[in-house]
Each structure stands twice: as C-alpha cells, then as structure tokens.
Amino acid sequence: MSAKPKNNAEDNADKPSEIGLRKGLTSYGDKGFSLFLRKAFIKGAGYTNSALDRPVIGIINTGSAYNPCHGNMPQLLEAVKRGVMLAGGLPMEFPTISIHESFAAPTSMYLRNLMSMDTEEMLRAQPMDAVVMIGGCDKTVPAQMMGAASAGLPAIQLITGSMLTGSHRSERVGACTDCRRYWGKFRAGEIDAIEKDEVNDQLVASVGTCSVMGTASTMACISEALGMTVPGGATPPAVTADRIRVAEETGTCAVQMAKTGLTIDKILTADAFENAIRVLLAIGGSTNGLVHLAAIAGRMGLEIDLEALDKMGNETPVLVDLKPSGDHYMENFHDAGGMTTLLRELKPLLKLNALTVTGKTLGEEIDAAPPSFKQDVVRKINNPIYPRGSIAVLHGNLAPGGAIIKQSAADEKLMEHEGRAVVFENAADLANRIDSPDLDVTSEDILVLKNIGPKGAPGMPEAGYIPIPMKLARAGVKDIVRISDGRMSGTAFGTIVLHVTPESAIGGPLAHVHNGDRIRLSVKNREISLLISDAELAKRIQENPITSPTAERGYKKLFLDTVTQADQGVDFDFLRAVKMVGKTPQA
Ligand code: FES
C-alpha cells in the first residue's frame, strides 16, 4: 500500500526554516508552489513525505567508464547511502564531471577548474544540508574541495582509495613510478617490446588510484590532514572492506555535520592548511599538492606563503617510506596504520586545535586513535628517510615569482650544479628533437623546456619530467638537471625544477633563455639563476616581446583570459575569494 500523503504544515514554504528539500527553491515567484512542484516531481521516484522530511545529504558520483581510478564507485555509493540512512538522513546521489589523468587532453589540469565550477554550482543549485564528495584521481579531490570551499556547505571528502600492486616476473610493481621506470628501461634498450607489453598488464592490478605517493595519494593524505575526511580516510585501498567501512562512516558523519551546521569554513582554516603543508612535506608528497593547496586556500581567502613553507621544510623531515622518495606502496602505508601513525609522529609540529569533520579537533582524534605498533613504513622523527621537507622553494632571475624542486626525489650530486642550457621552445619541439642522435647534449647540460605553464600549453601539463635524451639514456645516464614552467607527476623522480613563475608564455625570463646560456642551480642557496647580466636580459626582453596566448571562444577563452600562475594555484582569478584575509603557514 502506498504511503498516505501527510497534511504537512511545513508545506507552506514561507514558514519552515531552510533545510532539506526546502532549500534553494526554484524561482517561480511563489515559494509554496515551488516546494509543491519539487515534491511532486521527487515523488515520481517513489519517495514518501517521511523520507523527504529528513536532512538531505548530497553525494557526488564521479563514476565514469573513462575513470578506472573511481571504479569502486558503486560500492562506495551504496555504503555512503547506508551510513546516511542509519543516521536518519536522506541520501541524494548526483553526478558531476569526472577527470582521469590518462583520458583528459590536453591535460587533466586544464579541466580541474571546470570540475570545481561544476561542483560549486551544483552544490548551490540543488537542495542539500551537507555533501559527501567522492573523488580520488589526481585532479578530482582538489576540484571538489575548491568547489565546496566556495559553496560553503558542510562538506566531507571520501577518497576512492589506492589500487593494489601487481607482480612482474616476481617483482612487485605499481602505477606509476614503475610505469616510468619500465618505460625508461625500454627507451634505454634494457628490456624488449615483449617484456614492455608483459609489464603493462601488471602495473595497474585493480581499480583505484595510483599506488605510490603520487598526486592522488598526496591529496588523500592532505584531505585527512585538513580534517576533511573521517579519521583513517586517506589510506585504505579501493577494493578493501576498510574502504567500504570508511564510506559508511562518511555517510553517517555527513548527517551529523548537517545537524550541527559544521560548515567547511570552520574546517578549512589557516591552521588546517598549515597541517596540510606539514604533511605534504613529511610524506614526500607530489609537488602538485602545493598547486592544489594554493587553489583551495585561495578560495578561503588565504595565500600560501612560499618563504614560510620553505622554512617549515627545514624542520619537517620526510618520514613516509613510499615510492618515489622511498620503497613502499600505499597499501603498506595503510597496513602501517596510515595517517594516524604519521600524525602521531608529527604531533609536536601540528596545530592540534584545528577542527575536523567529526566535530572533534585533530589533537582529539590523534589521542583517540588505536595504539601504535611496530612497522617499517612511517619512520620515527629522529630517523627520517630524508632529513628535510620534500619540497624546496627556489628564487633567482630565472624565476622572480619562485620555482620549486622536489629535493627528496632529486640526485644529491646534481643539486649544486652549473651547466649549459639546451633549450626546447615547447612540447612539440621537445618531442621532435629529444631523441635525435644529432642533439648537442651531455650529461652536464641543463635541459630547459618553455611554454608548458598555465597558459603556455595550456593547462600546465605534467611535461616537466623531460625524458633523458635517448643518446644519454643509452649511455647509462639516469638523471640530468631539467627546468620548466610546467608540472611533474608525483610519481616521477629526478633533479627537476618546476613551476617557474612567471611562465614563459606571458614573458617570464624563462622565455629569453638561449641555447648555450649558463644556468646555476643551488638547492642549498635556494637559487635558480640565468648567468647573464641584467642589461642582456633587458635587451632580450625588448628585442623579443612575448604576446600571451588567447582563444576566440569557449572554455579555452575563459581559461586563457583568467587563469592565474602556479603560486596562486592555477585557479581562475574570478573564482578566488573576493577578499584575501591572510597567509598560511605562519612561520
Ligand atoms: Fe588516477 Fe593516477 S591515474 S590516480
């Protein structure tokens, strides 16, 4: 028998408070009619009045056949809904854009801001009291947090979880550090095409995100450090029961957040960002994490202070022994207690009063966590795998707005280096010449790649991991200093200077580097310098004025007209907070 309609006094939409289905009514000029119509339509799906009276929890479904990193979405959705209903809420699933690293041209970063706009506007447009955002692949989690930060609702992040590792001829392998390693072996002629295809079957052994400390794992850890996930939400692999339990807990927590009005601005504070930066440095996280943190913080009116971050690096050793900085994979990190183990070790360095989605502080959650145990993935603070933070900030006439290097993944011998510039004008020029036997290059040179910054490519692709020229690779060269205005995958390694700001496409000094110029990299002195006089640089700028790229129409026009540089997170200028209110970290 169908449920009888209740004669609800609150059907008069002028009276009830703005909760649940009554929020954000469509404009027909008559609120009562708007609610009447909304309920009529939703009842077409078989809902009862009793269900529609509950707090509404939106759940963002980013499942897509193009996104195997989100391949466990059906199981996660089911568990989140269970958690929501057990806590007395009404789950309402809805889709947004989904982005996968390998299925987004020209680069996933080009679409991150679009996904953030989709997320923000659907959170604003649809009635919900809290939202569960399910993301995992690199750009999805930052896009969701950027959108939620601007929308201002109670919001909680659910991570899809990492993939399992595979096995190739008895060697454990996982995406994507091993993808690069095996491709490097193939380029150097160390393995043949048959073995290359064989290992290709094993690198991604299940659905889920990359199994090393790439951008996805970095953003998962950062989300937990920010207080945006339930405790323990970062590390369970995608296909485990632990991951499903986290999903159920997330649904339950979202209902609590809706009831208590725990909006995102109470969580994403300057202290929370400081904790996230601390964790980014201690996990040997992806340099992309910094760009994404700058974008999320920018939505909250906070600038990332790169000088303060660099100082934090001096007192924050890398503790997590994961590839590419170390040896293990995400599933080992989870077995070692995950973020709880790391946060306990970092406790003296953290802002413990920062609030989390549970309504408790980070300090309270660390104290409430299960006891520690012997493990070999998270090092003690006095026995780190790298003595300083993973990321160093560089300055000099080549990067007046700063550049970064992931020092924990670089070759110690190359971190103080002066060499001759071998210049590639753009990604196409690189592709055409890098493997030419005629390329004039030695292992002492410095490879310079222009025009892969936010506007240059566009979208600041992960092309900063410039391949070792074929003739050097075949001669056994494993690393060489490389410089660009682009990004690098968190799964990559090498002595690679990234995010040179301002980028070459808008006339940054990088645009005026010539073949044969001398360049000096000194990580010790935080220096990246083009060894020409100021007068010579000024002459080159005058002789070769740069015109910023533009587009005639569409999203590309919006992107090129409004995208900011790396230090502002490559966000669109009009999406950042109207007023900037402070800086983080406060060193
Ligand atoms: Fe999705 Fe690596 S490709 S996380």
Side-chain angles (χ1 to χ4, degrees), residues 72-149:
N72 57 344
M73 193 62 60
Q75 294 80 13
L76 293 178
L77 285 166
E78 186 189 331
V80 174
K81 287 178 187 171
R82 184 167 69 239
V84 169
M85 288 197 278
L86 284 170
L90 173 65
M92 296 286 285
E93 170 195 335
F94 65 97
T96 68
I97 294 171
S98 186
I99 309 169
H100 183 276
E101 287 303 290
S102 291
F103 291 93
T107 170
S108 59
M109 189 67 169
Y110 180 64
L111 297 170
R112 185 204 60 180
N113 297 349
L114 185 63
M115 184 173 174
S116 85
M117 291 166 77
D118 183 356
T119 303
E120 175 182 346
E121 295 309 325
M122 295 321 284
L123 297 194
R124 287 187 195 285
Q126 300 172 141
M128 62 189 82
D129 299 295
V131 62
V132 174
M133 305 182 290
I134 312 181
C137 196
D138 294 15
K139 306 302 177 292
T140 59
V141 171
Q144 291 180 329
M145 276 201 271
M146 289 159 71

Side-chain angles (χ1 to χ4, degrees), residues 94-310:
F94 65 97
T96 68
I97 294 171
S98 186
I99 309 169
H100 183 276
E101 287 303 290
S102 291
F103 291 93
T107 170
S108 59
M109 189 67 169
Y110 180 64
L111 297 170
R112 185 204 60 180
N113 297 349
L114 185 63
M115 184 173 174
S116 85
M117 291 166 77
D118 183 356
T119 303
E120 175 182 346
E121 295 309 325
M122 295 321 284
L123 297 194
R124 287 187 195 285
Q126 300 172 141
M128 62 189 82
D129 299 295
V131 62
V132 174
M133 305 182 290
I134 312 181
C137 196
D138 294 15
K139 306 302 177 292
T140 59
V141 171
Q144 291 180 329
M145 276 201 271
M146 289 159 71
S150 297
L153 291 176
I156 182 168
Q157 189 74 54
L158 174 60
I159 303 296
T160 58
S162 59
M163 62 182 68
L164 300 180
T165 51
S167 176
H168 170 64
R169 299 186 182 177
S170 293
E171 188 196 356
R172 195 175 184 207
V173 291
C176 222
T177 304
D178 296 323
C179 311
R180 293 173 199 287
R181 190 163 58 82
Y182 270 90
W183 187 251
K185 283 183 176 212
F186 177 62
R187 278 174 59 82
E190 291 170 25
I191 64 169
D192 59 20
I194 293 172
E195 185 171 354
K196 176 197 64 148
D197 290 346
E198 215 178 285
V199 74
N200 193 252
D201 281 347
Q202 296 304 319
L203 288 163
V204 179
S206 76
V207 296
T209 57
C210 288
S211 55
V212 299
M213 193 49 81
T215 305
S217 304
T218 299
M219 290 311 300
C221 295
I222 280 178
S223 301
E224 190 167 340
L226 282 169
M228 284 295 296
T229 72
V230 295
T235 57
V239 297
T240 59
D242 277 352
R243 175 53 64 197
I244 300 301
R245 266 188 287 277
V246 164
E248 185 188 300
E249 281 171 35
T250 301
T252 301
C253 187
V255 178
Q256 267 325 105
M257 294 173 75
K259 287 179 178 168
T260 58
L262 184 51
T263 45
I264 196 165
D265 56 305
K266 298 178 182 124
I267 296 171
L268 292 184
T269 59
D271 282 354
F273 284 105
E274 184 165 327
N275 288 336
I277 291 167
R278 186 78 71 185
V279 162
L280 172 68
L281 294 165
I283 59 180
S286 163
T287 45
N288 290 327
L290 194 50
V291 178
H292 297 320
L293 271 174
I296 301 164
R299 299 295 184 100
M300 302 305 296
L302 294 166
E303 303 265 8
I304 300 286
D305 184 337
L306 286 177
E307 308 312 314
L309 178 145
D310 193 67

Side-chain angles (χ1 to χ4, degrees), residues 410-431:
D411 184 339
E412 195 75 39
K413 293 192 292 294
L414 290 173
M415 291 209 283
E416 305 298 316
H417 186 78
E418 186 186 313
R420 184 184 65 138
V422 176
V423 178
F424 299 92
E425 291 299 324
N426 50 45
D429 182 31
L430 177 82

